[in-house]
Amino acid sequence: MPDALIIPEKIFKEMLDHCKAGYPDEACGILAGIDNRVQKIYKMTNIDASPVSYMLDSKEQFKVMKDMRKSGLAMLAIFHSHPSSAAYPSAKDIS
């Protein structure tokens, strides 16, 4: 079993605030760090602008990947909210 993802309280709060600010649409972003410890949050734009779907902006994603590489961080997770449904993995999440 892999280690649990460790998200510092400050970053967790930023993630929740970003999701609340995106309401009624889904909000999304990337959590980056080393091993299983999140060290940075990247709050991304949901270009779908939808309450039931999200898609990361590819230009933002490229900048984020470049910044992570420069900072010696790895992508640990992609997060997104479910403002109008239960939190379950969609077909897009699974793929």
Side-chain angles (χ1 to χ4, degrees):
M1 178 182 201
D3 291 334
L5 188 63
I6 299 167
I7 307 172
E9 186 175 345
K10 180 181 184 278
I11 292 175
F12 187 76
K13 184 179 178 332
E14 284 185 65
M15 184 173 56
L16 290 178
D17 289 346
H18 177 61
C19 291
K20 288 175 185 176
Y23 185 82
D25 293 333
E26 286 196 13
C28 54
I30 294 174
L31 299 176
I34 298 172
D35 296 325
N36 62 331
R37 295 182 175 274
V38 175
Q39 296 178 353
K40 189 166 185 177
I41 182 173
Y42 295 93
K43 297 175 257 188
M44 309 287 289
T45 302
N46 175 5
I47 62 171
D48 279 358
S50 164
V52 295
S53 178
Y54 79 96
M55 178 62 67
L56 299 175
D57 179 288
S58 60
K59 290 178 184 168
E60 278 183 349
Q61 193 172 1
F62 179 76
K63 289 178 185 175
V64 165
M65 296 300 173
K66 197 171 174 181
D67 186 71
M68 283 191 294
R69 198 169 30 254
K70 184 179 88 175
S71 303
L73 302 174
M75 181 170 65
L76 300 179
I78 295 174
F79 71 86
H80 69 99
S81 59
H82 283 242
S84 60
S85 68
Y88 64 90
S90 67
K92 186 186 283 188
D93 295 336
I94 293 167
S95 71

